[in-house]
Amino acid sequence: MMGIWLGLIVLGYFCGRAAEAKHYRSIHAREKTWLHLPSTSLKTLLDPARPVERSELVYGNVVVSIDYFKQAVAGLRSFIGGAVKSHETLIDRARREAVLRLKESCPGAHEIVNLRLEAMSISGKMPGSVTSVEVLAYGTAIYFAK
């Protein structure tokens, strides 16, 4: 019986790592694609000399869930106390994915100003539920006159 549980934990560890690595590869490739679209939390334009043709509110949101192995590690960590490092990559992936989805929603924009991120933990209080985090990225897309 103990061997089955140990096998499931090892399987969860490797499957979770593979899924996370695949998501990070996707994030890195898409971030390279969107390097030409700067985004800032400032309320002013990066180039105030250029005339603005139009602006619009844009957003991107994502819900990312933690894998079972990391959830088990976080549960064990809650007995000891301290920072739960297994959740750090979850938050990092969710924030970056939300910003990428925001940028993908305005392909013709020249820059994004007043970028804000809102995060909400969706913790599973019910037995067998999985911890997730939702991140909403929103800002103003600026389109300069040509």
Side-chain angles (χ1 to χ4, degrees):
M1 189 66 170
M2 187 65 161
I4 292 173
W5 282 109
L6 185 60
L8 289 173
I9 289 173
V10 170
L11 181 67
Y13 173 76
F14 285 110
C15 289
R17 280 188 64 108
E20 187 175 277
K22 180 180 176 184
H23 190 210
Y24 267 122
R25 281 193 302 273
S26 168
I27 287 172
H28 290 149
R30 291 165 47 218
E31 283 177 341
K32 285 180 184 175
T33 303
W34 289 101
L35 274 178
H36 68 280
L37 180 57
S39 58
T40 177
S41 61
L42 297 174
K43 293 181 178 179
T44 58
L45 298 176
L46 296 175
D47 186 7
R50 295 178 68 183
V52 175
E53 181 178 293
R54 67 184 174 101
S55 62
E56 67 183 16
L57 174 69
V58 291
Y59 68 94
N61 70 331
V62 65
V63 175
V64 179
S65 183
I66 195 166
D67 61 68
Y68 287 113
F69 178 78
K70 287 187 175 184
Q71 187 171 357
V73 170
L76 292 174
R77 185 71 179 177
S78 67
F79 287 121
I80 301 168
V84 182
K85 294 190 178 204
S86 62
H87 286 176
E88 289 177 359
T89 58
L90 174 76
I91 300 295
D92 179 54
R93 287 188 301 138
R95 287 180 177 165
R96 292 167 73 175
E97 180 68 35
V99 171
L100 281 169
R101 290 183 180 187
L102 175 144
K103 287 183 174 183
E104 290 167 351
S105 72
C106 55
H110 295 99
E111 66 182 53
I112 296 169
V113 296
N114 203 17
L115 176 67
R116 300 287 187 260
L117 294 171
E118 299 287 336
M120 179 178 177
S121 172
I122 305 171
S123 62
K125 298 288 183 196
M126 309 249 316
S129 63
V130 179
T131 302
S132 303
V133 63
E134 179 179 15
V135 174
L136 170 68
Y138 60 95
T140 304
I142 304 295
Y143 298 84
F144 292 121
K146 295 180 182 174

